[in-house]
């Protein structure tokens, strides 16, 4: 679940080089503390970055990490899912050195995460605002997305279900997946590919019980 092994500068550099434009439209869905946002901003200062995060702890860390750069991005304090309204968010936590561990929170209930990463616990869920990606993009008048960085901890199916139109107009998608259902209903890599038939794998970063994958839309 740690973002660090795959959030290397090399991965981000590769993505920016593929976009081939100075001001790409980038959606960072599940932006947490802004680590990835900051990488993209450093590599591509003119990028149009829209960042989505529902966890108040992560939002506070995002604002602190970006500092004055926070004005260069648009931070949306909401979850992206398959519906508009409110949804339960399951915040993660831990003890000791990992106290305040907020990297595993999800709108999906934890399942095998509880055994695969038994040092992470999930506290009482709370309600957060949520939007369908298609509706949000329509309101924002974004017709074409260059890149979506999706780190939604098992809620990939929800984002896809509410964003089919947007995804058809998105050039590249980078997402986490798990073939071990760390969260209830989490999609395997094959299931994600089945839902996105116009996308092909451009790069694959497998890890222990899950991984990350860069997908390219063959329509472009």
């Amino acid at each position: 679940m740690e973002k660090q092994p795959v959030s290397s500068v090399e991965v981000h550099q590769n993505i920016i080089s593929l976009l081939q434009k100075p001001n790409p439209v980038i959606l960072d869905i599940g932006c947490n503390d802004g680590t990835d946002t900051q990488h993209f901003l450093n590599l591509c200062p003119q990028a149009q970055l829209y960042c989505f995060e529902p966890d108040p702890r992560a939002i506070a860390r995002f604002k602190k990490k970006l500092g004055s750069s926070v004005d260069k991005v648009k931070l949306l304090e909401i979850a992206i899912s398959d519906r508009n309204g409110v949804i339960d968010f399951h915040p993660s936590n831990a003890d000791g050195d990992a106290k305040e561990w907020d990297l595993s929170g999800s709108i999906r209930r934890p399942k095998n995460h509880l055994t695969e990463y038994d040092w992470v616990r999930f506290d009482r869920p709370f309600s957060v605002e949520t939007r369908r990606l298609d509706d949000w993009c329509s309101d924002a008048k974004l017709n074409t997305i260059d890149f979506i960085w999706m780190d939604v901890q098992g809620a990939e199916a929800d984002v896809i279900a509410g964003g089919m139109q947007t995804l058809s107009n998105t050039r590249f998608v980078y997402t986490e997946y798990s073939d071990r259902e760390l969260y209830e209903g989490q999609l395997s890599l094959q299931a994600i590919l089945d839902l996105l038939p116009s996308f092909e794998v451009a790069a694959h970063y497998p890890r222990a019980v899950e991984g990350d994958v860069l997908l390219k839309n063959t329509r472009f």
Side-chain angles (χ1 to χ4, degrees):
M1 304 316 304
E2 297 89 343
K3 297 176 79 163
Q4 290 320 107
V6 292
S7 294
S8 64
V9 173
E10 291 81 17
V11 172
H12 295 79
Q13 284 174 334
N14 179 43
I15 289 164
I16 291 298
S17 68
L18 289 171
L19 299 184
Q20 296 184 324
K21 59 164 67 171
N23 59 341
V25 174
I26 298 175
L27 307 188
D28 187 353
I29 302 176
C31 61
N32 195 259
D33 69 352
T35 296
D36 299 303
T37 303
Q38 187 72 68
H39 283 321
F40 288 125
L41 208 50
N42 291 344
L43 291 165
C44 195
Q46 292 176 266
Q48 302 172 62
L49 274 154
Y50 299 88
C51 311
F52 301 83
E53 177 56 52
D55 189 328
R57 297 171 302 165
I59 291 166
R61 293 200 298 133
F62 182 102
K63 292 174 178 176
K64 184 176 181 181
K65 180 183 280 282
L66 265 74
S68 59
S69 296
V70 78
D71 294 336
K72 299 176 183 174
V73 307
K74 188 160 181 61
L75 175 61
L76 295 308
E77 299 179 17
I78 60 175
I80 294 295
S81 75
D82 60 350
R83 72 199 77 164
N84 296 318
V86 295
I87 199 167
D88 275 352
F89 181 82
H90 302 267
S92 64
N93 216 322
D95 298 311
D97 292 343
K99 189 169 170 56
E100 297 293 316
W101 177 266
D102 60 14
L103 287 167
S104 304
S106 178
I107 59 173
R108 289 279 180 140
R109 275 203 298 235
K111 188 178 176 182
N112 292 327
H113 198 295
L114 300 171
T115 50
E116 296 286 354
Y117 303 94
D118 58 6
W119 54 272
V120 177
R121 71 171 190 271
F122 289 83
D123 296 335
R124 184 188 297 275
F126 55 86
S127 293
V128 297
E129 182 185 347
T130 185
R131 293 293 312 277
R132 295 175 73 253
L133 186 58
D134 283 347
D135 293 331
W136 183 86
C137 284
S138 176
D139 290 349
K141 294 181 171 52
L142 292 177
N143 299 318
T144 303
I145 311 295
D146 292 296
F147 175 62
I148 293 177
W149 180 279
M150 183 162 62
D151 191 354
V152 293
Q153 305 298 313
E156 296 81 18
D158 305 291
V159 176
I160 292 170
M164 289 302 289
Q165 183 63 44
T166 300
L167 288 161
S168 72
N169 296 317
T170 298
R171 294 169 59 206
F172 292 91
V173 174
Y174 185 99
T175 183
E176 193 172 44
Y177 69 88
S178 173
D179 296 330
R180 297 283 286 276
E181 203 180 351
L182 297 175
Y183 300 84
E184 289 183 2
Q186 182 171 18
L187 299 179
S188 65
L189 175 55
Q190 188 55 53
I192 290 173
L193 294 172
D194 289 344
L195 288 177
L196 300 172
S198 68
F199 283 83
E200 63 183 19
V201 176
H204 188 196
Y205 307 91
R207 299 197 303 281
V209 297
E210 71 273 305
D212 297 89
V213 65
L214 176 64
L215 304 175
K216 179 182 188 297
N217 193 336
T218 58
R219 289 181 181 156
F220 286 86

